[in-house]
Amino acid sequence: MLPSPKPSDLDANTEAFPRLTSTQIDRIRPLGHIRSVQSGETLYKPNDSAVPFFVVLSGQMQVFRPTLDGERLVITHEAGCFTGEMTMIAGQRSWVHGRVTLSGQFLELSGDAMLGLVARDAELSEILMRAFILRRLLLIREGYGNVVVMGSRHSAQTLQLREFFSRNGHPYTYIDLDTDRSARELLDRFEVKASEVPVVICHGKVLRRPSIQTVADCLGFNVSIDNTNVRDLIIVGAGPAGLAAAVYAASEGLNVLVIETQSPGGQAGSSSKIENYLGFPTGVSGMELATRATTQAQKFGAKMLIARSVTRLRGDNRPYQVVLDTGEFLATKAIIIATGAQYNRPKLENLAKFEGNGIYYAATCIESQWCGGEEIAVAGGGNSAGQAAVFLSQTAHRVHLLVRGGELSGTMSRYLIQRLTENPNIELHFNTEIVALEGESALERIAWRDRNTGEISTHNIQHIFLMTGAAPRTEWLRGCVTLDDKGFILTGRDLESAGPQGSSTWPLTRPPQMLETSLPGVFAVGDARSGNVKRVASAVGEGAISVRMVHRALVEL
């Protein structure tokens, strides 16, 4: 006998669970086949890949999620309802259990057929995409999911894992070992030692101090990726520029693969609110923008390879090959490099010791929870630092914004400067730099110096956000394409101005296109490109423009 599940916490009357009309269902019929189902029949279970898409014609089914104490009901689907959520669009493994509870007939479509439907039927595309997105948001809100993270706020790896799940939009349950009384019971249940945290429980497996790559593999993030294909285009990096390129390339019929080391969104993905991006007058969080763009790219058929890094580019012959950190080779006719930049790490003693444990490079909701009522600091003079200071001031008692320069007008948008100066919880310190970090197991104090007077002062600050300058993520390209003296990628006419270093490596009679690197058919966009404009809109624009250039390069093959 099947165990009686606990009731669902989800409201079936929400837009997340609409009923299709008979006319709409008739438009779906040619893409699938009718399947007679029997009560008690399992349609899919957790960890299954290539899960079909079902429309209930008659009968009934229920969706359950596994928990440590059995099963819990997520939703009941009746006639006119359909299954699926974002894992179906992404081609990832299921983490729920679908079971028939009343015999009847279901319309079954393969995942590819469902994506084809989304691509060609505008009305059904809107219904399905809205439902899938809302279902994922509901699952996150209710804490549903197939993952439990057990960790400590004083662990940098715990923070990294939580941000990975959050920025990839994957629901998880977090157990804080510092405060949860039941933590010891859970640790004992799985025979986990304190030295082995953080722990991730995934599909019944207990992963001790897992890497991001191990977690992604366990969740089946990349099961739908065929490494034997020669693709039209590989995009390295899923920031705004890379995601824009993916949307336009996939929508124009190219076979596209996006490779991302951590999570979609890049630096912009960690922004609490972007208010100067076209079309969002009230602002949009970086994570929301990245999630929407990722869904849009996958809707058009772009594939995503998550938690993998490119270590080398083989550009001697075409098709080119990118070499992954796993040692795998992926072949492609063209490449767009959108690896972005990372904040500079100041040369401070103990910096590595406190990273993720008092030192942070992103200001998300996770970090803000730790700053409630406390005195904190943000170092930097750009828009990212300003956005972080304004966001963190909502929970922190006081935010010290430390700026090396003497003013902000040359590095920060006017609207942010106004908010900073008018916010009573934010204190600006110009001509100021951090000189020391102190603490035992976690950051306890910082010292900064007034660059005008040389005076050093010490402050009991346990959380500091470093957003100072940016260095391109281009180390893997040295010797492959021409870089400037700071490591940014030279493109187009800038290759000529590089002198012999750039012009001598260009092999074709035609000049390089505007965003083309010294390697034909390889393009650079966004913050990794020399001469880039550090704005999200600019990155998106470059990503879109680069696809037109890719088409031209493909014609040459």
Side-chain angles (χ1 to χ4, degrees):
M1 176 179 289
L2 296 172
S4 298
K6 297 179 182 179
S8 171
D9 294 328
L10 300 184
D11 181 0
N13 295 321
T14 177
E15 280 188 310
F17 300 97
R19 291 177 186 263
L20 300 175
T21 66
S22 58
T23 301
Q24 291 167 339
I25 293 174
D26 286 341
R27 298 210 303 272
I28 302 175
R29 288 180 188 273
L31 300 176
H33 66 274
I34 305 297
R35 175 172 167 177
S36 296
V37 295
Q38 303 300 318
S39 179
E41 180 179 350
T42 293
L43 299 177
Y44 50 85
K45 56 186 183 299
N47 214 28
D48 279 357
S49 58
V51 173
F53 171 78
F54 293 102
V55 179
V56 180
L57 303 179
S58 62
Q60 184 187 81
M61 70 169 290
Q62 291 183 327
V63 178
F64 307 88
R65 69 179 179 101
T67 70
L68 295 176
D69 300 315
E71 288 185 332
R72 187 175 182 87
L73 178 63
V74 175
I75 195 67
T76 299
H77 289 308
E78 298 177 332
C81 297
F82 56 88
T83 64
E85 59 96 43
M86 289 309 303
T87 53
M88 185 162 288
I89 293 291
Q92 297 170 356
R93 292 175 183 161
S94 169
W95 41 269
V96 291
H97 193 151
R99 186 186 303 135
V100 179
T101 49
L102 185 63
S103 300
Q105 290 190 322
F106 289 8
L107 178 58
E108 179 178 345
L109 278 69
S110 68
D112 288 340
M114 185 273 297
L115 288 175
L117 172 69
V118 167
R120 69 171 60 100
D121 191 308
E123 182 192 18
L124 288 171
S125 173
E126 182 175 344
I127 293 172
L128 266 60
M129 292 301 295
R130 180 175 64 240
F132 287 174
I133 292 171
L134 291 175
R135 289 175 187 183
R136 173 59 63 91
L137 293 176
L138 284 169
L139 294 172
I140 292 173
R141 188 189 72 190
E142 299 296 336
Y144 285 0
N146 58 342
V147 172
V148 177
V149 178
M150 300 162 53
S152 165
R153 61 175 291 183
H154 301 297
S155 162
Q157 193 171 356
T158 298
L159 174 61
Q160 184 185 39
L161 286 168
R162 293 186 67 190
E163 289 188 338
F164 175 76
F165 289 120
S166 297
R167 292 182 62 176
N168 278 285
H170 194 94
Y172 71 99
T173 300
Y174 176 61
I175 298 176
D176 190 340
L177 298 179
D178 299 322
T179 59
D180 198 308
R181 294 182 180 180
S182 64
R184 175 54 55 188
E185 177 184 343
L186 285 167
L187 287 173
D188 291 342
R189 178 183 298 187
F190 295 106
E191 299 180 351
V192 177
K193 300 176 183 177
S195 61
E196 295 176 318
V197 297
V199 169
V200 175
I201 302 173
C202 164
H203 290 308
K205 299 178 181 177
V206 180
L207 308 177
R208 294 165 168 80
R209 294 183 63 87
S211 66
I212 295 298
Q213 185 181 107
T214 299
V215 171
D217 289 342
C218 181
L219 293 174
F221 272 14
N222 304 316
V223 292
S224 63
I225 305 301
D226 182 359
N227 293 344
T228 63
N229 274 349
V230 177
R231 289 179 170 80
D232 296 322
L233 175 64
I234 284 181
I235 301 169
V236 186
L243 289 172
V247 169
Y248 282 93
S251 68
E252 293 171 12
L254 296 182
N255 182 345
V256 182
L257 175 67
V258 183
I259 304 173
E260 170 55 42
T261 302
Q262 288 281 343
S263 310
Q267 267 190 343
S270 63
S271 296
S272 56
K273 182 177 283 191
I274 304 168
E275 294 193 63
N276 58 353
Y277 185 59
L278 184 68
F280 292 91
T282 60
V284 60
S285 73
M287 188 167 72
E288 182 182 2
L289 185 64
T291 300
R292 289 177 179 229
T294 301
T295 302
Q296 195 173 11
Q298 291 174 330
K299 162 188 167 180
F300 288 121
K303 299 295 184 181
M304 302 283 294
L305 187 62
I306 300 295
R308 293 291 187 273
S309 298
V310 178
T311 60
R312 193 155 42 98
L313 169 59
R314 288 184 170 181
D316 298 335
N317 300 294
R318 297 180 77 171
Y320 296 130
Q321 289 185 325
V322 295
V323 184
L324 301 181
D325 50 4
T326 58
E328 298 170 276
F329 298 84
L330 302 179
T332 181
K333 300 173 185 176
I335 299 171
I336 293 177
I337 301 167
T339 46
Q342 58 194 354
Y343 292 119
N344 290 325
R345 299 173 75 252
K347 296 180 180 178
L348 292 170
E349 187 177 354
N350 294 330
L351 180 68
K353 173 182 177 181
F354 298 129
E355 285 180 326
N357 196 10
I359 300 291
Y360 313 103
Y361 298 95
T364 70
C365 292
I366 296 174
E367 290 90 353
S368 69
Q369 294 171 6
W370 302 337
C371 301
E374 296 194 24
E375 197 167 341
I376 68 170
V378 177
N383 275 5
S384 295
Q387 290 164 350
V390 171
F391 172 64
L392 294 168
S393 69
Q394 300 173 30
T395 53
H397 170 67
R398 180 170 295 276
V399 178
H400 296 273
L401 182 59
L402 313 180
V403 184
R404 282 178 56 87
E407 47 84 31
L408 290 172
S409 60
T411 57
M412 188 179 292
S413 297
R414 183 176 177 180
Y415 80 92
L416 271 176
I417 297 175
Q418 184 175 359
R419 291 194 180 175
L420 292 170
T421 55
E422 294 178 355
N423 192 319
N425 289 345
I426 298 175
E427 185 174 341
L428 290 170
H429 303 266
F430 293 107
N431 298 301
T432 302
E433 61 183 356
I434 302 169
V435 294
L437 307 170
E438 301 175 2
E440 294 300 326
S441 59
L443 181 66
E444 299 173 11
R445 294 172 298 280
I446 67 172
W448 63 66
R449 177 171 54 209
D450 185 315
R451 301 179 71 201
N452 288 332
T453 65
E455 180 184 355
I456 296 177
S457 55
T458 302
H459 306 263
N460 293 325
I461 289 176
Q462 299 175 356
H463 305 285
I464 182 165
F465 297 79
L466 300 180
M467 299 176 177
T468 53
R473 293 188 172 100
T474 57
E475 299 84 359
W476 60 283
L477 289 167
R478 292 195 179 277
C480 300
V481 300
T482 304
L483 310 176
D484 67 13
D485 56 356
K486 294 183 179 179
F488 291 92
I489 304 168
L490 291 171
T491 58
R493 292 182 179 179
D494 288 342
L495 287 168
E496 299 175 6
S497 62
Q501 177 191 14
S503 58
S504 63
T505 59
W506 180 252
L508 303 183
T509 55
R510 69 161 176 83
Q513 299 185 69
M514 180 174 64
L515 300 175
E516 200 165 19
T517 71
S518 58
L519 204 57
V522 177
F523 303 85
V525 296
D527 289 350
R529 188 180 66 83
S530 180
N532 71 82
V533 178
K534 292 177 175 56
R535 291 291 185 269
V536 172
S538 175
V540 170
E542 289 186 12
I545 293 170
S546 67
V547 175
R548 178 67 180 271
M549 301 177 187
V550 167
H551 282 295
R552 293 176 182 170
L554 292 177
V555 171
E556 297 174 345
L557 294 177

